[in-house]
Amino acid sequence: MTLACRQYNTHNEGPWLVWLHGLLGDSHEWETVIKACHEYPSLVIDLPRHGNSASIGVNNFVEMSALLHDTLKEYDINHYWLIGYSLGGRIAMYHACFGETSGLMGLIVEGGNPGLYDAIERQNRIAHDKRWAARFRNEPINDVLTQWYQQPVFADLSDEMRQLLVEKRSSNAGFCIAESLETLSLGHQPWLVAELQQLTLPFIWLCGEQDKKFQSIAQQYSLPLTTIPQAGHNAHQAQPDAYAAVINHVLSLFG
């Protein structure tokens, strides 16, 4: 079993860019950024229970990492960078720390939490995600999304942008999002900081300059922070050209 994917710029040589979207997203999320990273081949993955992978589920991060490996193997991708946003960033970090990483050349994470150290915090997060999952299962998805985008992490969004996101994300099936929230909850994710600090491959922590929460996480754990001007939590949507410029620069140094 492998995940649904889209390929871009396959005529190019060099390492592949493998893109992992966030919760509620799909492979189309990255199109504007990929156009500006056209010198490299790209594989854009629909995560389990999202997009064209909606029929595929996983039970934990171990299964997710194995499925990512199988998908890369299916597409004969042997040298690649992982680029992940939010949930996709957490999956990318887990894979880099604990997965089958032969061929992984670098890691770029945007707004992906490296984990919760405290056991009580993890249990609270699991309970938090279960409450949201119950809402996604049982209430109209438009209503749930309207509340979802009122969370503090999305404070930089205008009312117009919130409404656009609600409309865009309403194509998701509520029970699929509920399952993702439960199985891949931050509360179930290992605390990855120690492993991330020991990575020997290039690692970039991208963060919108208005995303104070994730800037603070980077500073607290000495993660390699690069900020994107005039952007909040979802920097690749807010400033795709600036985001792509960072990736192109990093690849020119390490690719």
Side-chain angles (χ1 to χ4, degrees):
M1 182 173 62
T2 58
L3 294 162
C5 301
R6 299 164 67 88
Q7 298 180 80
Y8 297 82
N9 307 317
T10 56
H11 59 284
N12 287 327
E13 300 292 332
W16 282 76
L17 307 183
V18 178
W19 308 79
L20 307 177
H21 61 77
L23 186 76
L24 294 159
D26 61 27
S27 60
H28 296 283
E29 287 279 299
W30 299 104
E31 287 179 348
T32 305
V33 179
I34 289 171
K35 287 178 182 177
C37 295
H38 56 81
E39 294 181 8
Y40 303 95
S42 282
L43 185 77
V44 195
I45 296 177
D46 279 340
L47 294 179
R49 299 306 188 205
H50 291 76
N52 291 326
S53 297
S55 63
I56 300 171
V58 293
N59 293 309
N60 49 51
F61 282 89
V62 175
E63 290 184 9
M64 179 63 241
S65 184
L67 186 54
L68 175 58
H69 170 70
D70 292 345
T71 301
L72 296 175
K73 187 176 180 181
E74 175 72 17
Y75 283 86
D76 198 27
I77 293 176
N78 300 310
H79 298 92
Y80 65 98
W81 282 66
L82 276 180
I83 305 170
Y85 164 65
S86 196
L87 171 61
R90 296 197 288 115
I91 290 168
M93 287 186 289
Y94 180 91
H95 185 74
C97 293
F98 295 117
E100 170 51 65
T101 56
S102 58
L104 178 61
M105 299 177 66
L107 177 66
I108 299 175
V109 173
E110 172 198 358
N113 198 312
L116 302 172
Y117 181 77
D118 184 78
I120 294 175
E121 278 190 285
R122 290 198 296 273
Q123 289 302 316
N124 288 342
R125 182 55 184 251
I126 290 168
H128 170 273
D129 288 344
K130 282 184 176 180
R131 288 192 294 271
W132 276 109
R135 294 193 62 185
F136 274 107
R137 278 198 179 92
N138 299 312
E139 300 176 29
I141 192 165
N142 284 58
D143 295 347
V144 184
L145 289 173
T146 298
Q147 294 299 311
W148 179 264
Y149 287 112
Q150 295 294 331
Q151 295 181 95
V153 73
F154 302 114
D156 64 292
L157 295 176
S158 66
D159 290 342
E160 181 183 14
M161 181 56 71
R162 283 191 179 89
Q163 186 55 41
L164 287 172
L165 282 170
V166 169
E167 293 172 6
K168 185 176 182 180
R169 306 306 197 200
S170 293
S171 60
N172 285 285
F175 71 91
C176 287
I177 301 306
E179 183 179 308
S180 290
L181 275 166
E182 291 171 336
T183 59
L184 298 176
S185 168
L186 179 61
H188 291 309
Q189 175 188 310
W191 190 68
L192 301 174
V193 171
E195 285 76 15
L196 291 171
Q197 290 173 339
Q198 295 173 24
L199 288 178
T200 57
L201 51 77
F203 171 33
I204 307 297
W205 178 275
L206 286 183
C207 189
E209 68 173 355
Q210 298 162 8
D211 191 349
K212 301 305 180 185
K213 174 182 177 179
F214 282 85
Q215 287 184 52
S216 176
I217 289 172
Q219 291 157 0
Q220 181 180 1
Y221 298 122
S222 300
L223 301 175
L225 174 64
T226 296
T227 56
I228 305 295
Q230 298 179 305
H233 184 60
N234 193 330
H236 71 274
Q237 290 277 306
Q239 297 293 339
D241 290 338
Y243 191 96
V246 171
I247 292 175
N248 285 324
H249 177 66
V250 170
L251 268 289
S252 73
L253 297 175
F254 299 107

